Amino acid sequence: MSEAAPRAIRHIAIIMDGNGRWAKQRGFPRQVGHERGVEALRRTVEACRDIGIEYLTVFSFSSENWKRPAEEISALFGLLRLYVRQDLKRLKEDGVRVQVIGNREGLPEDILALLLKAETETQQNSRFVLNIAFNYGGRDDIVQACRSLVAKAERGEIASSQIDHQAFESELWLGDTPNPEVLIRTSGEYRISNFMVWQGAYSEWYFTDALWPDFDEEELHRALVYFGSRERRFGLVSEQVG
């Protein structure tokens, strides 16, 4: 995919869904599907960076995923360890800044250390930002933003009359990041699954039947073409946008 992304796109977010189904269809253990999913993430980071996207946010582990079998949770944690350990050096060299969003309470100590290492060692990079939503939920994000504003109000740092969309958005985990223009979900599901509930209010959603391990540059290109065909009115009428 050689052509550049439309200028209006700075931020793409993806629900990476379908690893387990990909493996089941091929008679492989679910772990193999997750490993192939990591390969798809590598391809997507490179493709987004190469076409001029500034931010990519991927849904890696939901706060609801704790309900899954313990062995699968352990496998998902293992893949995060593997991805950071194998790819951190390359990400640093390629100018990628890694940010992790989500609730860090209850995570294993070695995972917390690994997340901090990835963020610390790439914090000076500015070519591209990879946001990893880990132990993340969109509703949790809103609740923690509310708590932060309440705490500021109690300390006298902000008055209730000053709380508006901008003030609230600044307290979200991605408060310093533009909202995604495009949200992608793979595997043929048509749900947002508690992902970027606030930030995705005016995003264009692109749903594809491709399972995440099969997601590639061509599928990304189809999402960008779809975005280019959409009329983004933000509450206006066509004549006003025109």
Side-chain angles (χ1 to χ4, degrees), residues 1-3 12 19 44 47 55 81 98-99 114 118 130-131 173 175 179 191 201 211-212 217 229 241:
M1 184 174 60
S2 58
E3 57 206 275
I12 291 176
N19 292 343
T44 304
Y55 304 88
R81 295 182 182 101
V98 177
Q99 294 187 133
L114 204 60
L130 172 62
N131 299 309
W173 280 317
N179 292 329
R191 297 184 299 275
L211 301 175
W212 176 244
E217 291 185 35
S229 72
V241 176

Side-chain angles (χ1 to χ4, degrees), residues 36-123:
R36 296 297 176 86
V38 170
E39 295 175 9
L41 175 58
R42 291 190 183 109
R43 290 195 301 268
T44 304
V45 169
E46 292 176 3
C48 286
R49 187 194 61 212
D50 290 346
I51 61 176
I53 301 297
E54 298 175 52
Y55 304 88
L56 172 65
T57 300
V58 294
F59 205 1
S60 173
F61 185 80
S62 163
S63 54
E64 284 80 29
N65 285 158
W66 291 103
K67 301 172 186 176
R68 292 188 176 188
E71 60 270 19
E72 182 162 352
I73 294 174
S74 178
L76 289 169
F77 282 5
L79 285 173
L80 177 66
R81 295 182 182 101
L82 183 67
Y83 178 70
V84 174
R85 288 168 182 162
Q86 288 188 348
D87 289 52
L88 183 56
K89 183 175 184 293
R90 181 179 55 81
L91 292 170
K92 287 168 60 177
E93 293 173 349
D94 290 345
V96 177
R97 179 183 177 189
V98 177
Q99 294 187 133
V100 183
I101 59 172
N103 190 346
R104 304 198 182 191
E105 293 181 11
L107 293 179
E109 288 298 323
D110 71 311
I111 290 290
L112 288 171
L114 204 60
L115 299 180
L116 182 60
K117 176 182 174 67
E119 291 181 319
T120 301
E121 293 193 9
T122 63
Q123 62 184 351

Side-chain angles (χ1 to χ4, degrees), residues 11 15 22 55 79 82 87 109 112 126 152 169 201 227:
H11 185 182
I15 299 177
W22 185 93
Y55 304 88
L79 285 173
L82 183 67
D87 289 52
E109 288 298 323
L112 288 171
S126 57
K152 285 186 175 182
E169 194 164 286
F227 174 81

